[in-house]
Amino acid sequence: MRAAGSKWRLLAWLALPTVLLAALLAVIWHAHWQHSQLAQALLRSYPQDVDAHASLVRFADAEAQPLYKSNCAGCHGADMRGNPALGAPALTGGHWLWGNGSVFQIERILLYGIRSGAPKALNVTDMPAFGLMGRLSDGQVRELVQFIMKLNHRPYDAEGANEGETLFHSDLYGCYDCHGSDAKGNSDYGAPDLTVNHWNNGGSEQDIYDTIFYGRHRVMPAWRGRLSLEQMRALAVYLHGLSKSSVEGG
């Protein structure tokens, strides 16, 4: 009897690794299945409805964080505060050059890019080089800069700002045509709000001068084909949530 008991104990010990392996594989399979279910649910949901499902938002955030670090931080910064040297905008604060920061709009930009050359890319306008083209003189550009300083409640030269305001509203130069008569911009055209002191290309007087004189033609790559649809949806949900929370929090 003692020998038989020892034999069964030996067999049990020998079988233990197999049992543990099977249990581990079951855990891995369940995690994979759960991931697949959440990924499918994220894609099946309408973009505007994802916020209502906390489990999908948590899943998207977890998926997006390493994706952002490896694909987006190089331009927009690890802290998401952007890079004026590249014209890469900050992704927090609720200021959107194109669209309104909805999941749908962010996802569309990720899919097709901005001036990327891809079909459906956002490319209605860019910032003309008014100085290089000879449409504005050096002095006129400086007057427009003073007007923009005034709009943002920063120190400015009053005479220059008055001249700049006239230039801004002139049909000859048409600044208002994109930026609006109130200078608050138009996100349908990618024309920034000039009154909120938020600058993708730097906000010093020299930076603003350079933007008007030399123009800007920034490009956002299209990520379709480089990231999966589920990954882009996750990033869109993640960035939307961060921008929304930064506005609500401060």
Side-chain angles (χ1 to χ4, degrees):
M1 294 292 293
R2 186 177 301 173
S6 298
K7 179 180 178 182
W8 284 112
R9 283 194 295 273
L10 177 61
L11 290 173
W13 277 107
L14 291 174
L16 184 60
T18 302
V19 173
L20 291 175
L21 178 60
L24 178 61
L25 290 174
V27 169
I28 293 172
W29 178 88
H30 179 74
H32 177 77
W33 176 85
Q34 190 173 43
H35 181 281
S36 176
Q37 292 296 110
L38 286 168
Q40 291 177 38
L42 183 64
L43 281 176
R44 284 197 304 265
S45 300
Y46 288 112
Q48 68 270 22
D49 294 339
V50 175
D51 275 354
H53 303 279
S55 61
L56 292 183
V57 173
R58 287 194 298 270
F59 172 75
D61 289 351
E63 289 285 287
Q65 289 175 30
L67 289 171
Y68 179 87
K69 183 177 180 180
S70 59
N71 296 283
C72 312
C75 288
H76 295 282
D79 58 1
M80 301 190 180
R81 294 185 181 276
N83 185 340
L86 300 175
L91 299 176
T92 59
H95 300 289
W96 296 94
L97 190 61
W98 295 88
N100 57 6
S102 67
V103 175
F104 173 82
Q105 289 283 357
I106 298 171
E107 185 175 51
R108 189 188 190 286
I109 292 171
L110 289 167
L111 277 165
Y112 305 115
I114 299 169
R115 305 183 191 94
S116 64
K120 300 183 182 180
L122 294 169
N123 61 359
V124 178
T125 60
D126 57 8
M127 177 65 188
F130 283 99
L132 286 181
M133 293 189 301
R135 293 180 62 185
L136 290 171
S137 67
D138 172 79
Q140 288 173 317
V141 173
R142 295 188 185 281
E143 288 167 347
L144 277 169
V145 171
Q146 293 308 306
F147 174 55
I148 293 171
M149 294 293 103
K150 179 181 178 180
L151 289 174
N152 288 274
H153 308 288
R154 293 165 60 180
Y156 65 92
D157 174 74
E159 183 178 352
N162 289 337
E163 293 296 326
E165 184 172 6
T166 300
L167 290 168
F168 184 90
H169 292 288
S170 167
D171 290 335
L172 182 61
Y173 307 108
C175 304
Y176 71 88
D177 193 38
C178 287
H179 295 283
S181 59
D182 58 1
K184 291 187 178 296
N186 187 330
S187 62
D188 292 334
Y189 298 156
D193 186 338
L194 302 178
T195 70
V196 294
N197 207 32
H198 180 85
W199 311 97
N200 291 349
N201 297 283
S204 70
E205 290 192 34
Q206 186 62 51
D207 290 331
I208 298 171
Y209 174 93
D210 289 346
T211 294
I212 300 171
F213 195 95
Y214 299 106
R216 301 292 183 185
H217 187 83
R218 302 301 193 181
V219 175
M220 163 76 183
W223 290 92
R224 187 178 184 183
R226 302 163 69 179
L227 295 175
S228 71
L229 294 177
E230 177 262 317
Q231 288 174 322
M232 286 183 283
R233 172 64 59 83
L235 273 168
V237 171
Y238 176 58
L239 295 175
H240 165 74
L242 284 177
S243 180
K244 182 180 175 182
S245 63
S246 69
V247 172
E248 291 174 349

